[in-house]
Short mmCIF file of all heavy atoms in Angstrom, two decimals:
data_model
loop_
_atom_site.label_atom_id
_atom_site.label_comp_id
_atom_site.label_asym_id
_atom_site.label_seq_id
_atom_site.Cartn_x
_atom_site.Cartn_y
_atom_site.Cartn_z
N ALA A 1 135.55 89.65 87.11
CA ALA A 1 134.27 89.05 87.52
C ALA A 1 133.11 90.05 87.36
O ALA A 1 132.04 89.70 86.82
CB ALA A 1 134.36 88.56 88.97
N ALA A 2 133.30 91.30 87.77
CA ALA A 2 132.27 92.31 87.65
C ALA A 2 131.98 92.64 86.17
O ALA A 2 130.82 92.78 85.76
CB ALA A 2 132.68 93.59 88.41
N SER A 3 133.03 92.67 85.36
CA SER A 3 132.83 92.94 83.92
C SER A 3 132.08 91.80 83.24
O SER A 3 131.17 92.05 82.43
CB SER A 3 134.18 93.10 83.24
OG SER A 3 134.87 94.22 83.78
N LEU A 4 132.41 90.57 83.60
CA LEU A 4 131.70 89.43 83.03
C LEU A 4 130.25 89.37 83.53
O LEU A 4 129.33 89.02 82.77
CB LEU A 4 132.42 88.11 83.35
CG LEU A 4 133.74 87.93 82.65
CD1 LEU A 4 134.47 86.69 83.19
CD2 LEU A 4 133.58 87.82 81.13
N ALA A 5 130.01 89.76 84.78
CA ALA A 5 128.65 89.78 85.31
C ALA A 5 127.80 90.82 84.53
O ALA A 5 126.61 90.57 84.23
CB ALA A 5 128.65 90.11 86.79
N GLN A 6 128.40 91.96 84.18
CA GLN A 6 127.68 92.94 83.38
C GLN A 6 127.37 92.39 81.98
O GLN A 6 126.26 92.60 81.46
CB GLN A 6 128.51 94.23 83.24
CG GLN A 6 128.51 95.07 84.48
CD GLN A 6 129.31 96.37 84.31
OE1 GLN A 6 130.02 96.55 83.31
NE2 GLN A 6 129.13 97.29 85.23
N GLU A 7 128.30 91.67 81.40
CA GLU A 7 128.06 91.05 80.11
C GLU A 7 126.95 90.05 80.18
O GLU A 7 126.11 89.94 79.29
CB GLU A 7 129.32 90.36 79.56
CG GLU A 7 130.32 91.30 79.00
CD GLU A 7 129.79 92.08 77.77
OE1 GLU A 7 129.10 91.49 76.89
OE2 GLU A 7 130.02 93.30 77.71
N GLU A 8 126.90 89.28 81.28
CA GLU A 8 125.81 88.30 81.46
C GLU A 8 124.47 89.02 81.52
O GLU A 8 123.52 88.57 80.88
CB GLU A 8 126.05 87.46 82.70
CG GLU A 8 124.94 86.44 82.91
CD GLU A 8 124.98 85.78 84.27
OE1 GLU A 8 125.32 86.46 85.25
OE2 GLU A 8 124.61 84.60 84.31
N LYS A 9 124.40 90.11 82.26
CA LYS A 9 123.13 90.85 82.39
C LYS A 9 122.68 91.41 81.04
O LYS A 9 121.47 91.52 80.80
CB LYS A 9 123.30 91.99 83.41
CG LYS A 9 123.33 91.54 84.82
CD LYS A 9 123.53 92.67 85.79
CE LYS A 9 123.66 92.17 87.19
NZ LYS A 9 123.98 93.21 88.14
N LYS A 10 123.61 91.72 80.18
CA LYS A 10 123.28 92.24 78.85
C LYS A 10 123.00 91.14 77.85
O LYS A 10 122.68 91.39 76.69
CB LYS A 10 124.43 93.12 78.30
CG LYS A 10 124.65 94.41 79.07
CD LYS A 10 125.63 95.33 78.40
CE LYS A 10 126.99 94.76 78.23
NZ LYS A 10 127.99 95.70 77.70
N GLY A 11 123.13 89.88 78.27
CA GLY A 11 122.89 88.76 77.42
C GLY A 11 124.09 88.38 76.57
O GLY A 11 123.95 87.68 75.54
N GLY A 12 125.27 88.79 76.96
CA GLY A 12 126.48 88.57 76.19
C GLY A 12 127.21 87.25 76.48
O GLY A 12 128.20 86.94 75.83
N LEU A 13 126.71 86.55 77.48
CA LEU A 13 127.34 85.24 77.82
C LEU A 13 126.26 84.17 77.78
O LEU A 13 125.13 84.37 78.18
CB LEU A 13 127.95 85.29 79.21
CG LEU A 13 129.15 86.19 79.42
CD1 LEU A 13 129.54 86.25 80.89
CD2 LEU A 13 130.34 85.73 78.58
N LYS A 14 126.66 83.00 77.31
CA LYS A 14 125.76 81.85 77.30
C LYS A 14 125.62 81.28 78.70
O LYS A 14 124.57 80.85 79.14
CB LYS A 14 126.31 80.82 76.34
CG LYS A 14 125.45 79.59 76.14
CD LYS A 14 126.07 78.67 75.13
CE LYS A 14 125.21 77.45 74.91
NZ LYS A 14 125.83 76.57 73.93
N HIS A 15 126.70 81.33 79.48
CA HIS A 15 126.77 80.79 80.84
C HIS A 15 127.77 81.60 81.62
O HIS A 15 128.83 81.97 81.10
CB HIS A 15 127.18 79.33 80.78
CG HIS A 15 127.61 78.80 82.11
ND1 HIS A 15 126.70 78.43 83.11
CD2 HIS A 15 128.82 78.56 82.62
CE1 HIS A 15 127.38 77.97 84.17
NE2 HIS A 15 128.67 78.07 83.89
N TYR A 16 127.50 81.89 82.89
CA TYR A 16 128.44 82.58 83.75
C TYR A 16 128.23 82.13 85.19
O TYR A 16 127.08 82.04 85.66
CB TYR A 16 128.27 84.08 83.68
CG TYR A 16 129.11 84.85 84.65
CD1 TYR A 16 130.49 84.94 84.49
CD2 TYR A 16 128.57 85.47 85.80
CE1 TYR A 16 131.29 85.61 85.40
CE2 TYR A 16 129.33 86.17 86.68
CZ TYR A 16 130.72 86.22 86.48
OH TYR A 16 131.51 86.88 87.38
N ARG A 17 129.33 81.79 85.83
CA ARG A 17 129.30 81.39 87.26
C ARG A 17 130.53 81.98 87.92
O ARG A 17 131.64 81.89 87.38
CB ARG A 17 129.26 79.90 87.40
CG ARG A 17 129.14 79.43 88.89
CD ARG A 17 129.10 77.94 89.00
NE ARG A 17 130.41 77.31 88.84
CZ ARG A 17 131.37 77.27 89.77
NH1 ARG A 17 131.17 77.79 90.95
NH2 ARG A 17 132.50 76.66 89.51
N CYS A 18 130.34 82.54 89.09
CA CYS A 18 131.46 83.10 89.87
C CYS A 18 131.25 82.68 91.31
O CYS A 18 130.20 82.96 91.90
CB CYS A 18 131.54 84.61 89.71
SG CYS A 18 132.84 85.35 90.70
N GLN A 19 132.25 82.09 91.89
CA GLN A 19 132.18 81.67 93.29
C GLN A 19 133.40 82.24 94.02
O GLN A 19 134.55 81.95 93.63
CB GLN A 19 132.18 80.15 93.40
CG GLN A 19 132.02 79.66 94.82
CD GLN A 19 131.91 78.15 94.87
OE1 GLN A 19 131.66 77.49 93.89
NE2 GLN A 19 132.11 77.59 96.04
N MET A 20 133.15 83.09 95.02
CA MET A 20 134.22 83.70 95.79
C MET A 20 134.20 83.19 97.24
O MET A 20 133.10 83.10 97.84
CB MET A 20 134.06 85.24 95.83
CG MET A 20 134.36 85.91 94.55
SD MET A 20 134.39 87.71 94.78
CE MET A 20 133.45 88.20 93.35
N GLU A 21 135.37 82.90 97.72
CA GLU A 21 135.53 82.52 99.14
C GLU A 21 136.79 83.20 99.62
O GLU A 21 137.58 83.72 98.82
CB GLU A 21 135.66 81.00 99.30
CG GLU A 21 134.41 80.26 98.87
CD GLU A 21 134.55 78.76 99.03
OE1 GLU A 21 135.52 78.30 99.71
OE2 GLU A 21 133.76 78.02 98.44
N ASP A 22 137.05 83.20 100.91
CA ASP A 22 138.26 83.80 101.40
C ASP A 22 139.47 83.09 100.81
O ASP A 22 139.66 81.91 101.00
CB ASP A 22 138.30 83.75 102.92
CG ASP A 22 139.51 84.43 103.52
OD1 ASP A 22 139.89 85.52 103.00
OD2 ASP A 22 140.08 83.91 104.49
N GLY A 23 140.28 83.84 100.06
CA GLY A 23 141.51 83.27 99.49
C GLY A 23 141.30 82.56 98.20
O GLY A 23 142.28 82.00 97.65
N SER A 24 140.10 82.57 97.60
CA SER A 24 139.94 81.92 96.30
C SER A 24 138.74 82.48 95.56
O SER A 24 137.79 83.01 96.12
CB SER A 24 139.76 80.40 96.46
OG SER A 24 138.53 80.09 97.02
N ILE A 25 138.84 82.39 94.22
CA ILE A 25 137.71 82.73 93.36
C ILE A 25 137.75 81.82 92.16
O ILE A 25 138.83 81.49 91.66
CB ILE A 25 137.78 84.23 92.96
CG1 ILE A 25 136.58 84.63 92.09
CG2 ILE A 25 139.05 84.54 92.22
CD1 ILE A 25 136.42 86.10 91.89
N GLU A 26 136.62 81.37 91.70
CA GLU A 26 136.51 80.57 90.53
C GLU A 26 135.49 81.20 89.57
O GLU A 26 134.39 81.55 90.02
CB GLU A 26 136.10 79.13 90.83
CG GLU A 26 137.17 78.34 91.54
CD GLU A 26 136.79 76.84 91.72
OE1 GLU A 26 136.00 76.37 90.91
OE2 GLU A 26 137.26 76.27 92.68
N ILE A 27 135.88 81.36 88.34
CA ILE A 27 135.00 81.94 87.33
C ILE A 27 134.90 80.97 86.20
O ILE A 27 135.90 80.45 85.71
CB ILE A 27 135.57 83.29 86.81
CG1 ILE A 27 135.63 84.30 87.97
CG2 ILE A 27 134.72 83.80 85.66
CD1 ILE A 27 136.37 85.58 87.58
#
């Protein structure tokens, strides 16, 4: 998730979403 977030900041992703909750994460 952190690596993809860095790629998004550099403009390397068209779309990025990450949702974290206790016991789950969706990317």
Side-chain angles (χ1 to χ4, degrees):
S3 298
L4 291 172
Q6 285 182 348
E7 282 298 317
E8 179 191 35
K9 287 179 185 175
K10 293 189 299 186
L13 293 173
K14 185 176 180 180
H15 165 78
Y16 174 71
R17 183 180 76 79
C18 178
Q19 183 175 344
M20 288 188 225
E21 296 179 16
D22 184 38
S24 71
I25 185 169
E26 289 186 29
I27 297 171

